[in-house]
mmCIF file of all heavy atoms in Angstrom:
data_model
loop_
_atom_site.group_PDB
_atom_site.id
_atom_site.type_symbol
_atom_site.label_atom_id
_atom_site.label_comp_id
_atom_site.label_asym_id
_atom_site.label_seq_id
_atom_site.Cartn_x
_atom_site.Cartn_y
_atom_site.Cartn_z
ATOM 1 N N GLN A 82 6.838 25.893 -42.124
ATOM 2 C CA GLN A 82 7.382 26.779 -41.109
ATOM 3 C C GLN A 82 7.712 28.183 -41.632
ATOM 4 O O GLN A 82 7.540 29.172 -40.948
ATOM 5 C CB GLN A 82 8.610 26.203 -40.466
ATOM 6 C CG GLN A 82 8.274 24.947 -39.559
ATOM 7 C CD GLN A 82 9.574 24.399 -39.089
ATOM 8 O OE1 GLN A 82 10.243 24.975 -38.244
ATOM 9 N NE2 GLN A 82 9.866 23.166 -39.475
ATOM 10 N N MET A 83 8.236 28.278 -42.878
ATOM 11 C CA MET A 83 8.670 29.588 -43.436
ATOM 12 C C MET A 83 7.575 30.300 -44.209
ATOM 13 O O MET A 83 7.779 31.346 -44.849
ATOM 14 C CB MET A 83 9.930 29.352 -44.366
ATOM 15 C CG MET A 83 11.148 28.775 -43.697
ATOM 16 S SD MET A 83 12.407 28.439 -44.908
ATOM 17 C CE MET A 83 13.710 27.995 -43.930
ATOM 18 N N LYS A 84 6.366 29.670 -44.233
ATOM 19 C CA LYS A 84 5.218 30.152 -44.970
ATOM 20 C C LYS A 84 5.497 30.429 -46.404
ATOM 21 O O LYS A 84 5.096 31.455 -46.931
ATOM 22 C CB LYS A 84 4.821 31.502 -44.256
ATOM 23 C CG LYS A 84 4.313 31.299 -42.765
ATOM 24 C CD LYS A 84 3.935 32.490 -42.076
ATOM 25 C CE LYS A 84 3.539 32.229 -40.641
ATOM 26 N NZ LYS A 84 3.149 33.285 -39.866
ATOM 27 N N THR A 85 6.283 29.447 -47.018
ATOM 28 C CA THR A 85 6.568 29.615 -48.401
ATOM 29 C C THR A 85 5.252 29.332 -49.203
ATOM 30 O O THR A 85 4.465 28.597 -48.893
ATOM 31 C CB THR A 85 7.510 28.441 -48.756
ATOM 32 O OG1 THR A 85 8.703 28.591 -47.989
ATOM 33 C CG2 THR A 85 7.930 28.504 -50.276
ATOM 34 N N ASN A 86 5.146 30.269 -50.233
ATOM 35 C CA ASN A 86 3.940 30.141 -51.120
ATOM 36 C C ASN A 86 4.399 30.001 -52.573
ATOM 37 O O ASN A 86 5.499 29.827 -52.813
ATOM 38 C CB ASN A 86 3.013 31.379 -50.854
ATOM 39 C CG ASN A 86 3.721 32.674 -51.111
ATOM 40 O OD1 ASN A 86 4.502 32.858 -51.976
ATOM 41 N ND2 ASN A 86 3.309 33.686 -50.299
ATOM 42 N N SER A 87 3.514 30.296 -53.441
ATOM 43 C CA SER A 87 3.760 30.066 -54.803
ATOM 44 C C SER A 87 4.822 30.994 -55.444
ATOM 45 O O SER A 87 5.315 30.909 -56.503
ATOM 46 C CB SER A 87 2.473 30.118 -55.670
ATOM 47 O OG SER A 87 1.862 31.368 -55.560
ATOM 48 N N THR A 88 5.026 32.145 -54.702
ATOM 49 C CA THR A 88 5.930 33.170 -55.231
ATOM 50 C C THR A 88 7.277 33.076 -54.471
ATOM 51 O O THR A 88 8.190 33.810 -54.713
ATOM 52 C CB THR A 88 5.424 34.534 -55.011
ATOM 53 O OG1 THR A 88 5.141 34.857 -53.642
ATOM 54 C CG2 THR A 88 4.101 34.759 -55.751
ATOM 55 N N GLY A 89 7.401 32.188 -53.491
ATOM 56 C CA GLY A 89 8.664 32.067 -52.772
ATOM 57 C C GLY A 89 8.534 32.067 -51.344
ATOM 58 O O GLY A 89 7.529 31.973 -50.644
ATOM 59 N N THR A 90 9.762 32.606 -50.667
ATOM 60 C CA THR A 90 9.870 32.591 -49.261
ATOM 61 C C THR A 90 10.344 33.941 -48.803
ATOM 62 O O THR A 90 11.402 34.411 -49.322
ATOM 63 C CB THR A 90 10.844 31.502 -48.696
ATOM 64 O OG1 THR A 90 10.355 30.276 -49.240
ATOM 65 C CG2 THR A 90 10.880 31.495 -47.242
ATOM 66 N N SER A 91 9.728 34.588 -47.910
ATOM 67 C CA SER A 91 10.177 35.905 -47.382
ATOM 68 C C SER A 91 11.212 35.684 -46.269
ATOM 69 O O SER A 91 11.201 34.810 -45.399
ATOM 70 C CB SER A 91 8.995 36.722 -46.792
ATOM 71 O OG SER A 91 9.442 37.760 -46.116
ATOM 72 N N ALA A 92 12.322 36.520 -46.326
ATOM 73 C CA ALA A 92 13.329 36.468 -45.363
ATOM 74 C C ALA A 92 12.729 36.702 -43.929
ATOM 75 O O ALA A 92 13.244 36.212 -42.943
ATOM 76 C CB ALA A 92 14.398 37.529 -45.604
ATOM 77 N N GLN A 93 11.647 37.428 -43.869
ATOM 78 C CA GLN A 93 10.971 37.733 -42.578
ATOM 79 C C GLN A 93 10.523 36.422 -41.890
ATOM 80 O O GLN A 93 10.560 36.430 -40.669
ATOM 81 C CB GLN A 93 9.706 38.578 -42.883
ATOM 82 C CG GLN A 93 8.677 38.744 -41.773
ATOM 83 C CD GLN A 93 7.474 39.387 -42.231
ATOM 84 O OE1 GLN A 93 7.275 39.879 -43.302
ATOM 85 N NE2 GLN A 93 6.553 39.553 -41.266
ATOM 86 N N TYR A 94 10.263 35.445 -42.678
ATOM 87 C CA TYR A 94 9.785 34.127 -42.122
ATOM 88 C C TYR A 94 10.967 33.058 -42.130
ATOM 89 O O TYR A 94 11.099 32.361 -41.208
ATOM 90 C CB TYR A 94 8.617 33.563 -42.823
ATOM 91 C CG TYR A 94 7.361 34.556 -42.781
ATOM 92 C CD1 TYR A 94 6.937 35.065 -43.864
ATOM 93 C CD2 TYR A 94 6.825 34.768 -41.537
ATOM 94 C CE1 TYR A 94 5.786 35.906 -43.861
ATOM 95 C CE2 TYR A 94 5.754 35.674 -41.517
ATOM 96 C CZ TYR A 94 5.283 36.255 -42.698
ATOM 97 O OH TYR A 94 4.211 37.092 -42.618
ATOM 98 N N ALA A 95 11.772 33.102 -43.125
ATOM 99 C CA ALA A 95 12.863 32.158 -43.271
ATOM 100 C C ALA A 95 13.934 32.326 -42.231
ATOM 101 O O ALA A 95 14.415 31.272 -41.725
ATOM 102 C CB ALA A 95 13.538 32.283 -44.686
ATOM 103 N N VAL A 96 14.402 33.498 -41.984
ATOM 104 C CA VAL A 96 15.511 33.672 -41.016
ATOM 105 C C VAL A 96 15.153 33.145 -39.633
ATOM 106 O O VAL A 96 16.037 32.452 -39.030
ATOM 107 C CB VAL A 96 16.044 35.187 -40.984
ATOM 108 C CG1 VAL A 96 16.941 35.470 -39.910
ATOM 109 C CG2 VAL A 96 16.600 35.545 -42.340
ATOM 110 N N PRO A 97 14.119 33.498 -39.044
ATOM 111 C CA PRO A 97 13.823 33.000 -37.628
ATOM 112 C C PRO A 97 13.714 31.417 -37.681
ATOM 113 O O PRO A 97 14.112 30.788 -36.761
ATOM 114 C CB PRO A 97 12.402 33.542 -37.361
ATOM 115 C CG PRO A 97 12.255 34.781 -38.175
ATOM 116 C CD PRO A 97 13.016 34.502 -39.513
ATOM 117 N N VAL A 98 13.109 30.833 -38.814
ATOM 118 C CA VAL A 98 13.079 29.412 -38.733
ATOM 119 C C VAL A 98 14.487 28.780 -38.892
ATOM 120 O O VAL A 98 14.897 27.855 -38.104
ATOM 121 C CB VAL A 98 12.211 28.940 -40.043
ATOM 122 C CG1 VAL A 98 12.234 27.331 -40.215
ATOM 123 C CG2 VAL A 98 10.774 29.355 -39.781
ATOM 124 N N TYR A 99 15.348 29.275 -39.859
ATOM 125 C CA TYR A 99 16.701 28.880 -39.958
ATOM 126 C C TYR A 99 17.409 28.979 -38.633
ATOM 127 O O TYR A 99 18.113 28.096 -38.125
ATOM 128 C CB TYR A 99 17.435 29.768 -41.029
ATOM 129 C CG TYR A 99 18.595 29.321 -41.753
ATOM 130 C CD1 TYR A 99 19.096 30.038 -42.789
ATOM 131 C CD2 TYR A 99 19.294 28.013 -41.407
ATOM 132 C CE1 TYR A 99 20.257 29.632 -43.439
ATOM 133 C CE2 TYR A 99 20.390 27.692 -42.103
ATOM 134 C CZ TYR A 99 20.887 28.451 -43.059
ATOM 135 O OH TYR A 99 22.021 28.070 -43.780
ATOM 136 N N ASN A 100 17.259 30.172 -37.895
ATOM 137 C CA ASN A 100 17.939 30.318 -36.688
ATOM 138 C C ASN A 100 17.410 29.366 -35.601
ATOM 139 O O ASN A 100 18.204 28.945 -34.721
ATOM 140 C CB ASN A 100 17.705 31.766 -36.169
ATOM 141 C CG ASN A 100 18.830 32.728 -36.510
ATOM 142 O OD1 ASN A 100 20.008 32.284 -36.692
ATOM 143 N ND2 ASN A 100 18.556 33.925 -36.744
ATOM 144 N N SER A 101 16.125 29.009 -35.620
ATOM 145 C CA SER A 101 15.668 28.064 -34.612
ATOM 146 C C SER A 101 16.413 26.805 -34.667
ATOM 147 O O SER A 101 16.580 26.118 -33.512
ATOM 148 C CB SER A 101 14.071 27.895 -34.770
ATOM 149 O OG SER A 101 13.861 27.042 -35.894
ATOM 150 N N TYR A 102 16.807 26.307 -35.830
ATOM 151 C CA TYR A 102 17.587 25.021 -35.909
ATOM 152 C C TYR A 102 19.007 25.321 -35.590
ATOM 153 O O TYR A 102 19.710 24.527 -34.920
ATOM 154 C CB TYR A 102 17.466 24.467 -37.359
ATOM 155 C CG TYR A 102 16.081 23.910 -37.623
ATOM 156 C CD1 TYR A 102 15.143 24.707 -38.276
ATOM 157 C CD2 TYR A 102 15.718 22.555 -37.186
ATOM 158 C CE1 TYR A 102 13.828 24.164 -38.486
ATOM 159 C CE2 TYR A 102 14.504 22.127 -37.392
ATOM 160 C CZ TYR A 102 13.516 22.909 -38.028
ATOM 161 O OH TYR A 102 12.237 22.343 -38.224
ATOM 162 N N LEU A 103 19.587 26.419 -36.093
ATOM 163 C CA LEU A 103 21.036 26.715 -35.784
ATOM 164 C C LEU A 103 21.257 26.923 -34.283
ATOM 165 O O LEU A 103 22.314 26.513 -33.795
ATOM 166 C CB LEU A 103 21.471 27.970 -36.611
ATOM 167 C CG LEU A 103 21.666 27.822 -38.033
ATOM 168 C CD1 LEU A 103 21.972 29.138 -38.747
ATOM 169 C CD2 LEU A 103 22.639 26.750 -38.414
ATOM 170 N N ASN A 104 20.365 27.622 -33.555
ATOM 171 C CA ASN A 104 20.468 27.852 -32.124
ATOM 172 C C ASN A 104 20.684 26.629 -31.371
ATOM 173 O O ASN A 104 21.449 26.618 -30.378
ATOM 174 C CB ASN A 104 19.346 28.616 -31.603
ATOM 175 C CG ASN A 104 19.250 30.074 -32.165
ATOM 176 O OD1 ASN A 104 18.219 30.760 -31.984
ATOM 177 N ND2 ASN A 104 20.312 30.579 -32.652
ATOM 178 N N LYS A 105 19.981 25.485 -31.811
ATOM 179 C CA LYS A 105 20.173 24.264 -31.046
ATOM 180 C C LYS A 105 21.530 23.812 -31.256
ATOM 181 O O LYS A 105 21.961 22.787 -30.461
ATOM 182 C CB LYS A 105 19.193 23.272 -31.724
ATOM 183 C CG LYS A 105 17.715 23.603 -31.435
ATOM 184 C CD LYS A 105 16.771 22.662 -32.142
ATOM 185 C CE LYS A 105 15.295 23.271 -32.071
ATOM 186 N NZ LYS A 105 14.436 22.363 -32.904
ATOM 187 N N LYS A 106 22.273 24.153 -32.152
ATOM 188 C CA LYS A 106 23.651 23.693 -32.454
ATOM 189 C C LYS A 106 24.749 24.707 -31.893
ATOM 190 O O LYS A 106 25.897 24.597 -32.143
ATOM 191 C CB LYS A 106 23.935 23.475 -33.909
ATOM 192 C CG LYS A 106 23.067 22.375 -34.510
ATOM 193 C CD LYS A 106 23.496 21.066 -34.071
ATOM 194 C CE LYS A 106 22.616 19.958 -34.744
ATOM 195 N NZ LYS A 106 23.010 18.617 -34.399
ATOM 196 N N GLY A 107 24.181 25.811 -31.291
ATOM 197 C CA GLY A 107 25.138 26.759 -30.761
ATOM 198 C C GLY A 107 25.465 27.856 -31.769
ATOM 199 O O GLY A 107 26.492 28.610 -31.496
ATOM 200 N N TYR A 108 24.770 28.078 -32.828
ATOM 201 C CA TYR A 108 25.050 29.051 -33.745
ATOM 202 C C TYR A 108 23.861 29.981 -34.008
ATOM 203 O O TYR A 108 22.803 29.657 -33.590
ATOM 204 C CB TYR A 108 25.420 28.393 -35.118
ATOM 205 C CG TYR A 108 26.711 27.574 -35.164
ATOM 206 C CD1 TYR A 108 26.766 26.257 -34.765
ATOM 207 C CD2 TYR A 108 27.840 28.214 -35.584
ATOM 208 C CE1 TYR A 108 27.915 25.582 -34.750
ATOM 209 C CE2 TYR A 108 29.048 27.574 -35.532
ATOM 210 C CZ TYR A 108 29.040 26.191 -35.119
ATOM 211 O OH TYR A 108 30.217 25.630 -35.098
#
Side-chain angles (χ1 to χ4, degrees):
Q82 292 173 61
M83 294 176 176
K84 301 179 181 181
T85 301
N86 59 36
S87 62
T88 61
T90 307
S91 168
Q93 170 188 358
Y94 301 115
V96 170
V98 171
Y99 202 173
N100 266 327
S101 72
Y102 289 98
L103 289 177
N104 290 163
K105 294 173 188 173
K106 299 290 184 174
Y108 291 90

